Amino acid sequence: LTRRDAAFDASATRYTMPRFKFLFVGLCVSAIAAAGLTESAKLESCATSFPTRFGSSSSPLVDLTATISPSLVVFESAFGLGEGHRVQSKSQLRGDDANVSELRFGAHTGTHVDAPRHFARGDNTGIEEIDLRHLNGPAFVVDAFGVVFLDRESLSHLEIPQDATIVLFRTDNTRRGIMNQTRFDKDYVGFSKDGAEYLLETFPNVKTVGIDYVSIAAYDHLVTAHVVLLEAGLVPVEGLSIPEHTVKPGWWMFHCAPLKIAGSDG
């Protein structure tokens, strides 16, 4: 994420590059003026600033991914990921030349992207076919606190720019800290079916939606909200950690590339 404020402010520069599950590239480290920029102008501003600002001390990385560990929350599990998620098949302590680990967990573990084939009917598109242009570029971080669902009513009160193509929703999931709790909490905030429909109707430019828990769809709307979003071609990014103290609401640059697993639903 690269912060965009109402006026250009180099000291406000940020960008987010999750490390595991997502391989992020520092394509843009420039703050962008919020008012009146087209999508191409936003990207052009990023490109022209890259050579001089990448890696500077004024451009800290903000990692939005959850750490893969035994205590990581897993959908509908009371015990988290558990110790068996990483098995050391070779070990120098056992006399092997190198340490080699095998990873054993689902494609929807931690911070991840959903492919259409996860829930969409009649669309078998796998994660390797997701257009990376939908996962890299200007993103709008919006706070949606104090709501039970991201439904039509709650979304109607949020100020989301019409030109936004990537929207990251920060909810009471963040304030309750449930991404950092091992036991799955079915009372998380996510999209209802009518909320998903409202998003499509009202913000037709949106291609990607992010959420601060392990499912973009609320527990009581798990299938229906997923179906609405995925059949419309939207790309859900789930399990984001969006800390309030480092990520302010507003425009940022977002960089995301899911693991390229042929035919995978996530």
Side-chain angles (χ1 to χ4, degrees):
L1 297 178
T2 300
R3 178 64 172 158
R4 278 203 333 162
D5 290 316
F8 184 90
D9 179 4
S11 66
T13 300
R14 303 286 189 275
Y15 54 104
T16 302
M17 306 174 79
R19 294 185 295 265
F20 192 88
K21 296 281 274 186
F22 294 8
L23 306 178
F24 278 73
V25 180
L27 296 178
C28 172
V29 291
S30 168
I32 308 172
L37 284 183
T38 64
E39 196 75 10
S40 60
K42 295 170 193 171
L43 295 173
E44 182 180 356
S45 176
C46 291
T48 56
S49 69
F50 173 72
T52 58
R53 291 199 171 276
F54 181 61
S56 71
S57 59
S58 64
S59 303
L61 300 179
V62 183
D63 186 353
L64 299 189
T65 53
T67 300
I68 304 295
S69 72
S71 62
L72 178 66
V73 62
V74 174
F75 193 80
E76 291 189 323
S77 171
F79 309 106
L81 189 56
E83 294 289 345
H85 76 284
R86 185 176 66 85
V87 176
Q88 191 129 348
S89 57
K90 292 183 181 292
S91 170
Q92 290 175 332
L93 293 178
R94 298 197 300 263
D96 295 314
D97 292 332
N99 295 312
V100 178
S101 295
E102 296 179 4
L103 304 179
R104 301 177 180 178
F105 48 80
H108 300 270
T109 300
T111 309
H112 65 279
V113 173
D114 283 353
R117 73 186 310 269
H118 184 37
F119 273 97
R121 279 45 172 164
D123 187 346
N124 208 37
T125 301
I127 197 69
E128 81 281 12
E129 299 179 75
I130 298 295
D131 190 339
L132 293 182
R133 289 175 295 182
H134 296 166
L135 289 165
N136 292 271
F140 193 80
V141 176
V142 61
D143 286 338
F145 297 127
V147 301
V148 177
F149 300 111
L150 294 174
D151 56 11
R152 182 177 294 268
E153 172 66 20
S154 63
L155 291 173
S156 69
H157 296 291
L158 300 179
E159 296 184 2
I160 301 172
Q162 278 294 326
D163 64 342
T165 58
I166 302 172
V167 181
L168 309 181
F169 289 87
R170 179 167 51 199
T171 72
D172 285 342
N173 300 333
T174 292
R175 290 192 169 174
R176 294 175 58 213
I178 59 176
M179 266 305 295
N180 297 319
Q181 297 174 8
T182 298
R183 179 180 289 273
F184 174 74
D185 189 335
K186 65 182 180 62
D187 295 323
Y188 65 89
V189 178
F191 275 86
S192 65
K193 179 177 182 288
D194 77 319
E197 292 169 340
Y198 178 85
L199 183 74
L200 295 175
E201 296 164 4
T202 311
F203 304 101
N205 291 317
V206 171
K207 303 298 183 185
T208 298
V209 284
I211 193 72
D212 52 354
Y213 202 53
V214 294
S215 173
I216 195 72
Y219 193 73
D220 291 340
H221 300 260
L222 185 67
V223 175
T224 54
H226 266 109
V227 168
V228 169
L229 294 172
L230 289 170
E231 289 192 349
L234 267 71
V235 182
V237 184
E238 301 172 330
L240 291 170
S241 174
I242 315 175
E244 287 188 77
H245 65 284
T246 53
V247 180
K248 303 303 180 185
W251 283 108
W252 296 72
M253 286 299 297
F254 182 65
H255 302 287
C256 168
L259 289 177
K260 197 173 183 180
I261 305 172
S264 182
D265 44 81

